[in-house]
Every structure is written in C-alpha cells, then in structure tokens.
Amino acid sequence: MEKLSERLDRPIVLVGLMGAGKSTVGKRLAKRLGLPFVDSDSAIEDAAGYSAAEVFERFGEKDFRDGERRLVARLVDEGRVGVIATGGGAFVDPGTRALLNERAITVWLDAPVEILRERTAKRNTRPLLRTPDPKATLARLAEERRSSYERAHIHIRSGHQGHGEVVDRIIEAITRHLAE
Ligand code: S3P
C-alpha cells in the first residue's frame, strides 16, 4: 500500500484542550510520517515576538484570537502538507473550525480532565489556567468546548498510554478516514 504521507493532500491538524498532548503527539506523528511539524502557539511567537501567553496577557483574549485566526489561515494557505498542533481555543472559533474542516484533516485529542490537569500543572504557562481552581476551569472548558471539538473529522481518546500508541491510533484512523 502507498505510504500514508504520499496519499495526504492536506495537513493534519490536532485540536483539543490544553494538556491533551497536541504538541508532543504532533511532533512524533510528523516524524513518523516524515512530514514537517508546526505548532500554532510557536508560530504566533515567531510572528509577534512575544510568547502566546504574553500576547494573551498583554493584549487580551480577543486580540490573541484574531491573531490566531489569521495565523492558522496562513498556515493552511501555505498549502504544505504537514502536521499542525493548534492552541486549545483555535477550533472553538467558528471561522477557524470551518476552514480547518474544509482544508485539513482534523483530529481531536481527547483526554480526561485529571490527565489534562496533571500535564498542565507541570508548567504554569497557560493564562487561562491561572485561576484559584485550575482543574475546575479545565472541566468547565471541556464542557463548553465539547460541541466544537466533536466536529473534528477524527476523535482519538487518550489516557495514560504512551504517545507512541496514540500516534499509531491516529495513523490508523486517518488511513480509515481517507478510505471513506
Ligand atoms: C489556549 C490554549 C493554549 C494557548 C492559549 C489559549 C486555550 O495552547 O493557545 O493559552 O484557549 O485553550 P495549548 O492548547 O497548546 O496549551
């Protein structure tokens, strides 16, 4: 069978909450497929000269979202086939979601709130989680955003298994999706 990377004509875009593993899994997936990887938060930093968290805090969520929307559109417009990890809120934006579902293969990485909390607690880099009860904030965001994330083409549940196994399952699901 032809290699998956040769059958892809569009980017693979990972969506889901903070701590779901979008960047870590995305990098490994890209490596496995021999494709370039880009993280939208890092691309915002390259463009703005501030980290995504700084843009968020200095200019506010609205400006951050506007920048994120333009940046994701630019990444998709470049037309490169690769793996893109988005920031957790990108796919919640209706315009970005429509664009990504039309021009990319979207994969929702869905992990339980306990795991999201464990992972995000390691580094205090998420402005949205600087709250008195970050776990409750994650649970609220999971609830509020579920109906957006659910619209991704592919839904991958992840838990305590290794990232390598999650990558295997994404590759299988994309292979099935392309055959549909
Ligand atoms: C956000 C997630 C963050 C970052 C920003 C807002 C969100 O990215 O874009 O802090 O709204 O969920 P990660 O999902 O990569 O942590």
Side-chain angles (χ1 to χ4, degrees):
M1 195 174 82
E2 206 183 345
K3 270 174 42 193
L4 177 58
S5 53
E6 286 161 10
R7 294 166 57 209
L8 284 170
D9 63 350
R10 50 191 62 214
I12 298 169
V13 176
L14 303 183
V15 308
L17 274 177
M18 300 167 267
K22 300 178 298 283
S23 302
T24 321
V25 168
K27 261 182 226 151
R28 291 184 68 150
L29 175 66
K31 198 164 171 201
R32 187 86 81 76
L33 296 175
L35 294 172
F37 170 76
V38 45
D39 179 288
S40 75
D41 280 349
S42 310
I44 288 179
E45 181 165 354
D46 294 343
Y50 298 109
S51 71
E54 278 169 332
V55 174
F56 207 98
E57 287 183 328
R58 278 172 179 250
F59 305 106
E61 180 161 1
K62 181 171 180 310
D63 279 9
F64 175 82
R65 298 290 174 213
D66 288 345
E68 182 177 56
R69 186 181 315 108
R70 286 196 299 272
L71 185 115
V72 171
R74 201 186 74 210
L75 290 176
V76 171
D77 272 340
E78 280 171 7
R80 268 200 310 169
V81 172
V83 178
I84 302 173
T86 54
F91 202 65
V92 179
D93 179 272
T96 301
R97 190 169 63 240
L99 175 79
L100 291 177
N101 272 344
E102 195 188 313
R103 308 266 303 274
I105 298 175
T106 52
V107 180
W108 172 23
L109 283 188
D110 178 18
V113 168
E114 293 67 39
I115 291 183
L116 300 176
R117 178 60 198 137
E118 259 170 47
R119 294 199 187 129
T120 53
K122 289 183 193 144
R123 281 180 310 132
N124 181 22
T125 52
R126 271 84 171 198
L128 284 177
L129 298 183
R130 293 190 187 130
T131 62
D133 185 349
K135 189 170 170 197
T137 306
L138 278 166
R140 177 180 56 75
L141 288 171
E143 180 69 31
E144 284 173 8
R145 293 179 173 182
R146 164 164 287 274
S147 62
S148 299
Y149 294 148
E150 266 172 1
R151 300 195 201 167
H153 298 125
I154 292 169
H155 180 185
I156 300 285
R157 285 203 176 79
S158 73
H160 283 293
Q161 69 274 65
H163 291 310
E165 194 187 322
V166 177
V167 168
D168 287 342
R169 286 171 37 216
I170 296 175
I171 291 177
E172 281 164 24
I174 294 176
T175 306
R176 276 198 306 275
H177 177 77
L178 289 177
E180 272 166 15

